[in-house]
Amino acid sequence: MSKRSERKEEHLALAQMFFNKQKENSFDQMHLLRPTLPESKVDQASIRTSFLGKEVSAPFFIEAMTGGSEKSKKINRQLGSVAAKENIALALGSASILVKENEQLSSFTVAREQDPDGLLFANVNPLTPASDAAKIVQELQADALQIHLNVVQEAAMPEGERDFCWLNNMLEIRQAVTVPIIIKEVGFGFDQASLKKLKDVGFDLFDIGGMGGTNFAQIENSRNQYNLSYLSSLGLPTVITSLIAEKMQLDFFVSGGVRNPLDVLKGLALGGKLVGIANTFLQQLMQHDTEGLIEEIQEWKKELAILLAVFGKNDVNSLSSLKRYYDLPLKNQIDQII
C-alpha cells in the first residue's frame, strides 16, 4: 500500500475513533419558530428537489469522504449502491491521488458503476493540475466538481502542503472542466472575505463546510509527533458561515456537523440548496452495513417530511422564510462576525 493510500485508510479509522453522535455544535444554539396551528399535512413528496437538472428524493446528500485505497473502494461501492437505491446525491472523496496513482481509479469509479444515473460530485484539491482535474471528471462521469479548501488540515498534517497559493490554479481548473464547480471547505467554514474573493472571480457555488462535525485538524494532530491541538479551533461554526453565505446571496450547500433531520431542516432554513452528511452516515454504514444505512436514510426522509408539516411548509424551497432565533453565546458571535 502506498503512503497516500495508507493515509486514506488512517483517516477512515480516525474518523471512526473521534466520532461522537451526541457532539454539540452551533445547530443546538439555533432555533426555528414553530406555528402552533400549521394547517398542513405530511407529504413525502414535499422533500423532493432537483439540482443540475436531476431530481432527487431528498434535499440531503452523502458528503465527500473517501477513495484511493482498497477499504475506501468497498465503502464507495456501498455508498454508490445506497445513493442509487434512495435516489440521493453522492459526493466522492478527494480523487487527487489519481494524479500520481491512477491504479486507484476503480476505488472511485465503482460508485458510478453502482449509481449510473444519479447525481454524483467528484472532488480534487486546489493544486490538482487542470488537465488532470478534467480527466478525473470525465473518468468519474461526475455531474459537478468539488474543489476542496483545507488549509487548517494541511497545516496539521505531517506531510501536508505548505503552499497555500491556490486561486490561480483553481481558475485553470474551471477553464478545463465542463461541469459546474463547487468550492468546498472541509470543516472550518468560509469567512466573508474569502467568499467575496471567490465570487469576484466568478465562482458561484459553495459548500460551506463549517465547524461542528469531523475535525480534520484533530485527526491530523493524532498523526503528528508535535502537539498541534490548538489548530482544532481555527474555524467558523456551521450556522455562522451559513449566515455569511446567505447574507451574500450565494448559492451554497450546508455541511459540517449534521446529525439528524432537524439539523437538515435548519440547514435548509439557513438557505442551503442541499445539506451534506458525512461521518454520521459513514459510521452507520460501518456498524450496520449497506442495509443499515438505507434504513437510516429512509427514516430521515420520513422524519424530514414530518418536520416540514410541523413547521407549516409543503416544499423545501419555502423553508428559508422560517423565523430563526439564537442562544446568546451564538448570537454574540454572529453580531461580532457578520
Side-chain angles (χ1 to χ4, degrees), residues 82 85 285 288-296:
V82 171
K85 181 171 178 55
L285 178 70
H288 303 288
D289 212 355
T290 304
E291 288 306 314
L293 180 54
I294 288 172
E295 289 177 9
E296 178 164 69

Side-chain angles (χ1 to χ4, degrees), residues 25-293:
N25 62 40
S26 58
F27 284 121
D28 298 313
Q29 296 187 63
M30 171 188 171
H31 310 282
L32 301 173
L33 189 63
R34 177 188 64 84
T36 303
L37 185 65
E39 292 292 292
S40 55
K41 295 180 180 180
V42 176
D43 180 4
Q44 207 63 38
S46 67
I47 68 169
R48 299 190 69 86
T49 189
S50 61
F51 185 72
L52 301 181
K54 290 188 176 181
E55 188 174 85
V56 289
S57 65
F60 58 83
F61 69 100
I62 302 171
E63 182 63 281
M65 284 185 269
T66 194
S69 70
E70 280 304 310
K71 186 173 184 179
S72 63
K73 180 178 180 178
K74 176 184 177 183
I75 290 171
N76 280 339
R77 179 185 293 111
Q78 292 173 308
L79 293 176
S81 174
V82 171
K85 181 171 178 55
E86 291 306 311
N87 186 26
I88 61 173
L90 167 63
L92 295 171
S94 175
S96 296
I97 189 175
L98 299 179
V99 176
K100 301 290 186 181
E101 300 181 33
N102 194 251
E103 64 272 18
Q104 297 292 345
L105 178 62
S106 64
S107 70
F108 297 94
T109 56
V110 66
R112 179 53 95 189
E113 291 166 7
Q114 293 294 314
D115 189 14
D117 301 314
L119 187 58
L120 182 73
F121 307 146
N123 183 309
V124 297
N125 71 48
L127 289 179
T128 303
S131 59
D132 289 304
K135 182 180 179 183
I136 286 168
V137 167
Q138 183 179 26
E139 290 178 328
L140 274 54
Q141 301 174 49
D143 297 291
L145 175 66
Q146 293 179 328
I147 301 177
H148 68 259
L149 307 184
N150 63 334
V151 172
V152 179
Q153 180 189 5
E154 295 288 352
M157 189 187 301
E159 64 277 64
E161 183 61 61
R162 294 297 181 262
D163 175 3
F164 305 135
C165 299
W166 294 345
L167 186 56
N168 286 340
N169 196 69
M170 292 165 62
L171 293 170
E172 290 182 12
I173 292 174
R174 188 178 66 189
Q175 291 297 317
V177 303
T178 57
V179 298
I181 299 287
I182 304 164
I183 307 299
K184 171 180 170 53
E185 239 288 356
V186 299
F188 297 93
F190 272 105
D191 65 293
Q192 187 167 351
S194 296
L195 285 172
K196 184 178 186 305
K197 183 181 293 186
L198 290 162
K199 180 182 179 182
D200 286 348
V201 296
F203 291 107
D204 58 5
L205 181 59
F206 303 88
D207 185 334
I208 55 87
M211 286 188 69
T214 304
N215 190 311
F216 275 96
Q218 180 186 42
I219 285 175
E220 299 298 354
N221 183 60
S222 70
R223 302 177 58 244
N224 205 319
Q225 62 177 316
Y226 302 105
N227 181 11
L228 302 177
S229 58
Y230 57 84
L231 293 175
S232 298
S233 63
L234 296 184
L236 290 172
T238 299
V239 170
I240 291 180
T241 195
S242 297
L243 288 169
I244 290 171
E246 180 191 41
K247 184 177 181 180
M248 295 178 67
Q249 299 182 317
L250 302 175
D251 287 336
F252 64 98
F253 302 159
V254 172
S255 63
V258 179
R259 305 154 299 184
N260 54 56
L262 182 56
D263 288 347
V264 173
L265 188 80
K266 290 178 180 179
L268 297 169
L270 285 164
K273 300 295 184 184
L274 296 172
V275 176
I277 302 98
N279 211 4
T280 295
F281 283 171
L282 176 62
Q283 299 314 316
Q284 182 71 10
L285 178 70
M286 301 285 274
Q287 295 172 28
H288 303 288
D289 212 355
T290 304
E291 288 306 314
L293 180 54

